[in-house]
């Protein structure tokens, strides 16, 4: 007798490698050719780019990305992008309030978000694909017809003041250190300009200032309408309907000109002396720590060296002194093996890579007790020097595999695909597909890593320091350590400090 199944029948002697008799042949969903997976781009008559990526599913993510951010505020009051991020999805010409917008999206199961970075501001909506017409209409209104009422601007001022206060009080210093390292690396220019609105500017930014900025930067040629999970022709039709020939609320008068400055790497140090002893109160408070971030200029994401730098960043890896991860989750990266596993007193050692259209920054963030600052700086500078040494074949292959894995897993998320499509098309008018990027990652050799590191080490370092800085070495000593063969601080400093 054969084994009985839930259906009540039996299939005696049928191998698991053979199809069961009597079962209808499976019908699978199939893409109609390779082009269904490619990103399609159409440029409208006014210069607006429409980009789409097909993806199976009921929901879509659609948004408008603008080539505008804190790096473009040199001729304006610093903090405008921060204001625009907070004012997004407020009242518009068609919608009387934020609640009205949210109720409209709710009918299509939609949510909205706005994020401003140093070089891009992004308005995005995820909703049922059948509500595409409503979604594009709403996005066009939010981006080009905001009311910017006095009440909304005053509420934004309050929200920004609270955020700035919270930024200086939160236990995680990462956002603050990121601002400081950019300010040190690109002093007073482009990506070194503050991403957050300074407190002194919150009362100075009003509707006229915002309109003056929007008139220069919110133009069709600096925008991309990107969508994932919708048909390209349908998105183009909606773009023509709602984004072609539309006069924005700020008019088309004389603008102050677009800032096309190229980032100038300067290097330098930004220090903030701060009492960190009471940052985290509670039953298990975080001990008092001093945070150091050391960085060097890398390259832009448009250069060929971007991929080797991304592999190098993955190879350095790192994280906190405690990790729930295991093999394959970063525990074999250099900052774990050489730093955290050898120096128990270090609480954090993490590598970061920031890349922009014209420059980049590879940096390492480290945290330790204030009494260990000198030794911590020496250890981190030594890791920078060791980057130029021999690269093991096993560690390189592991870093490349981990980078491919992270890329592919992130791109399983529809909103991440949307951002990838939008940002790439905004910068290059086209998009490299994941399999192309994986092929480039696979081609990285040890000589590529050594080449990019050698080029990077010739630059002056950028240093950000936060906390008790009594024992922090001078900038000159850090610079000297980075140019030495072993990354050690100068001997005289160690003897007579």
């Amino acid at each position: 007798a054969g084994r009985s199944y839930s259906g009540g029948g039996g299939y005696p002697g049928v191998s698991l490698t053979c199809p069961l008799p009597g079962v209808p042949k499976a019908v699978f969903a199939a893409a109609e050719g390779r082009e269904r997976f490619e990103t399609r781009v159409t440029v409208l008559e006014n210069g607006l780019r429409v980009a789409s990526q097909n993806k199976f599913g009921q929901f879509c993510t659609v948004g408008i990305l603008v080539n505008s951010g804190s790096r473009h505020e040199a001729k304006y009051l610093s903090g405008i992008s921060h204001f625009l991020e907070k004012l997004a999805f407020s009242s518009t010409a068609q919608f009387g309030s934020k609640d009205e917008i949210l109720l409209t999206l709710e009918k299509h199961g939609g949510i909205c978000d706005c994020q401003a970075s140093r070089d891009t501001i992004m308005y995005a909506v995820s909703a049922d694909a059948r509500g595409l017409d409503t979604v594009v209409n709403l996005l066009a209104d939010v981006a080009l017809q905001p009311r910017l009422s006095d009440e909304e601007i005053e509420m934004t001022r309050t929200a920004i003041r609270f955020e700035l206060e919270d930024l200086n009080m939160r236990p995680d210093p990462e956002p603050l250190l990121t601002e400081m390292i950019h300010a040190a690396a690109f002093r007073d220019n482009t990506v070194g300009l503050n991403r957050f609105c300074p407190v002194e500017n919150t009362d100075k930014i009003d509707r006229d200032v915002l309109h003056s900025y929007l008139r220069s930067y919110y133009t069709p040629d600096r925008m991309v309408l990107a969508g994932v999970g919708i048909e390209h022709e349908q998105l183009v039709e909606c773009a023509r309907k709602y984004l072609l020939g539309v006069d924005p609320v700020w008019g088309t008068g004389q603008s102050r000109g677009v800032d096309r400055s190229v980032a100038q790497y300067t290097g330098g140090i930004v220090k903030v002396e701060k009492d960190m002893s009471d940052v985290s109160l509670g039953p298990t408070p975080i001990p008092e720590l001093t945070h150091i971030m050391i960085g060097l200029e890398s390259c832009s994401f448009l250069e060929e060296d971007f991929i080797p730098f991304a592999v190098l960043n993955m190879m350095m890896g790192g994280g906190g002194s405690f990790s729930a991860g295991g093999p394959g989750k970063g525990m074999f990266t250099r900052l774990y093996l050489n730093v955290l596993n050898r120096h128990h007193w270090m609480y954090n050692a993490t590598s970061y890579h920031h890349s922009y259209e014209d420059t980049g920054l590879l940096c390492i963030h480290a945290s330790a007790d204030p009494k260990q600052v000198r030794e911590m700086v020496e250890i981190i500078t030594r890791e920078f020097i060791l980057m130029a040494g021999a690269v093991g074949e096993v560690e390189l292959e592991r870093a490349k595999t981990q980078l491919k894995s992270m890329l592919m897993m992130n791109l399983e998320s529809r909103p991440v695909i949307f951002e990838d499509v939008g940002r790439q098309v905004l910068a290059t008018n086209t998009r490299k597909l994941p399999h192309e990027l994986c092929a480039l990652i696979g081609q990285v050799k040890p000589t590529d890593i050594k080449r990019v590191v050698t080029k990077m080490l010739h630059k002056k370092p950028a240093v950000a320091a936060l906390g008790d800085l009594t024992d922090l070495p001078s900038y000159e000593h850090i610079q000297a350590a980075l140019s030495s063969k072993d990354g050690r601080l100068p001997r005289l400093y160690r003897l007579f400090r």
Side-chain angles (χ1 to χ4, degrees), residues 320 322-332 336:
F322 172 79
S323 172
K329 293 189 178 177
M331 300 296 276
F332 280 98
Y336 264 113

Side-chain angles (χ1 to χ4, degrees), residues 391-444:
V391 178
E393 196 63 40
V394 173
E395 72 167 341
L396 180 62
E397 286 305 315
R398 180 183 283 120
K400 285 155 64 174
T401 303
Q402 200 169 348
L403 183 58
K404 290 178 191 176
S405 172
M406 181 182 290
L407 173 70
M408 299 308 292
M409 286 192 289
N410 284 340
L411 289 173
E412 287 181 3
S413 166
R414 190 183 60 253
V416 173
I417 300 173
F418 155 77
E419 187 172 347
D420 184 48
V421 170
R423 284 184 179 276
Q424 285 203 50
V425 173
L426 194 63
T428 66
N429 297 321
T430 184
R431 181 189 179 222
K432 273 194 173 74
L433 294 175
H435 70 270
E436 296 176 83
L437 293 171
C438 286
L440 291 171
I441 293 167
Q443 292 167 12
V444 175

Side-chain angles (χ1 to χ4, degrees), residues 48-49 63-68 120-123 220 222-226 418-424 426:
L48 177 83
R49 285 155 287 178
I64 293 175
L65 293 92
V66 189
N67 186 7
S68 156
T120 311
I121 188 162
M122 179 173 63
Y123 302 85
R222 299 179 66 85
M223 292 182 178
V224 169
L225 174 67
F418 155 77
E419 187 172 347
D420 184 48
V421 170
R423 284 184 179 276
Q424 285 203 50
L426 194 63

Side-chain angles (χ1 to χ4, degrees), residues 216-254:
S216 294
Y217 289 97
Y218 276 47
T219 54
D221 59 300
R222 299 179 66 85
M223 292 182 178
V224 169
L225 174 67
V228 176
I230 34 81
E231 294 293 336
H232 185 72
E233 290 75 13
Q234 192 182 356
L235 186 63
V236 171
E237 185 184 333
C238 290
R240 290 186 181 281
K241 186 176 177 181
Y242 297 113
L243 288 161
L244 197 60
V246 177
D247 289 329
V249 70
W250 47 84
T252 54
Q254 186 67 30

